[in-house]
């Protein structure tokens, strides 16, 4: 049977084991007692989960379901191996039985890694080489940003002691439950709204242009891109619109579902050094190179790019949309810095190999020089 979108045979798989609960008050449908009697609650440092009421909702439910808990509120943006190791040690000392991550991608990724590290009684650095054989304590994720989709992915992206962002990827890391309540995103400041919204857009577009795309991920991603196109500009202007927040939250979760199948592309690979060395937020780092990579991919797989950019009327429309949300700054990297960044890209990784086009050191360096 022919795939009408790609012209090749339809052969694809889909595996995602997360029990997803989406919508206002979605948390109330979760029976936490299925996962243990004592929870380890992982949050970021700036206390956003208290402001957006996710923590209050969780603790009320814990009280009514007879669950005790410990807090670990030390997760920084682009979280480090050290933070995971510290959390895993505390989890074990306090004899917790499951992990709840509340926040954006940073606390959600740390929650997954703590669950694995504590169960395996190993430092997180040691999990990368044995990732497919690990086991984990149960993880429940409550997302409060609309961007990474980490609540439904099997990835934990962490920063190593030498400042490299490294993705730990294994099906063992899929959370048990993902709770997406758009009300929790209403408190996001505009800079976080923009960075996370563009992360979702990038992931959706990347999943379509990827050589690993499938008819199912295409269908989810196209819908997600349409939601971003209609509602991201609205939430940037009107932070309190629950209708539009809901649409962007749905698009972000869709982006997690798609990358849980396809992975990301060289766009993400290029973004990691920009974040590590220049401190530019993850979603913005992706936005800097997205249109450039999509333009390049068009020469090698125009059909894929047509599907990904159709909601914007083509590649130029995508580029204009990104600029309208985030006027991209000029980085003006020196040649030496561009070489350092390019040297950190693993040109043999799935992210690079699955992107239509040929990407060598010179090409990547030139992209960095052009930013
Ligand atoms: P984040 O780093 O989790 O959070 C950024 C900031 O937003 C923090 O200060 C956080 O506060 C605040 N914040 C979160 N929710 C808020 C709310 N509702 N109201 C007000 N402030 C809020 O941001 P992110 O973009 O969601 O996550 C980025 C990380 O995810 C990166 O490390 C990236 O590599 C990773 N990532 C993972 C995946 C995956 O599949 N695993 C995919 C893409 C990206 P707190 O300090 O209180 O938390």
């Amino acid at each position: 049977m022919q795939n009408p979108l790609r012209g090749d045979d339809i052969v694809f798989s889909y595996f995602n084991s997360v029990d997803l609960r989406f919508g206002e008050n979605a948390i109330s449908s979760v029976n936490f007692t299925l996962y243990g009697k004592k929870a380890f609650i992982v949050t970021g440092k700036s206390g956003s989960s208290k402001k957006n009421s996710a923590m209050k909702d969780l603790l009320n439910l814990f009280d009514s379901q007879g669950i005790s808990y410990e807090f670990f509120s030390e997760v920084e943006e682009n979280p480090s191996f050290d933070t995971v190791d510290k959390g895993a040690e505390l989890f074990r000392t306090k004899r917790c039985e499951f992990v709840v991550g509340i926040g954006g991608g940073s606390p959600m990724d740390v929650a997954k890694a703590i669950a694995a590290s504590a169960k395996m009684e190993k430092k997180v650095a040691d999990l990368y080489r044995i990732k497919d054989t690990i086991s984990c304590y149960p993880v429940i994720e409550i997302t409060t940003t609309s961007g990474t989709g980490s609540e439904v992915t099997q990835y934990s992206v962490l920063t190593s002691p030498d400042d490299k962002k490294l993705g730990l990827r294994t099906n063992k890391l899929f959370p048990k439950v993902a709770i997406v309540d758009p009300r929790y995103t209403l408190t996001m400041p505009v800079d976080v709204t923009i960075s996370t919204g563009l992360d979702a857009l990038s992931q959706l577009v990347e999943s379509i242009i990827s050589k690993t795309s499938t008819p199912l991920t295409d269908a989810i991603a196209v819908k997600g891109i349409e939601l971003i196109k209609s509602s991201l500009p609205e939430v940037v202007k009107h932070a309190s619109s629950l209708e539009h927040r809901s649409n962007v939250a749905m698009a972000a979760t869709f982006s997690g579902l798609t990358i849980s199948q396809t992975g990301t592309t060289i766009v993400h690979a290029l973004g990691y050094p920009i974040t590590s060395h220049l401190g530019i937020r993850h979603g913005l780092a992706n936005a800097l190179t997205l249109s450039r990579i999509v333009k390049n991919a068009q020469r090698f797989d125009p059909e894929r790019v047509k599907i990904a950019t159709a909601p914007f009327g083509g590649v130029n429309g995508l580029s204009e949309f990104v600029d309208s949300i985030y006027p991209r700054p000029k980085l003006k990297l020196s040649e030496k810095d561009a070489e350092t960044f390019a040297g950190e890209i693993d040109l043999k990784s799935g992210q690079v190999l699955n992107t239509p086009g040929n990407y060598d050191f010179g090409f990547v360096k030139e992209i960095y020089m052009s930013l």
Side-chain angles (χ1 to χ4, degrees), residues 43-49 52 75-79 102-107 109 112 144-145 148-150 153 155-157 165 184-189 192 195-196 199 203 259 268 272 281-282:
T43 70
K45 281 182 161 174
S46 62
S48 61
S49 58
N52 62 37
V75 181
E76 70 281 38
E77 292 187 37
N78 307 301
I102 312 182
S106 300
D109 284 359
K112 294 176 199 173
T144 67
T145 63
T148 69
S150 173
T153 72
Y155 312 127
S156 173
V157 186
K165 281 181 78 89
Y184 301 152
T185 68
L186 287 168
T187 52
M188 267 196 288
V192 179
S195 144
T196 51
D199 190 17
Q203 294 185 159
I259 64 159
H268 266 66
Y272 290 155
R281 279 209 165 107
H282 175 68

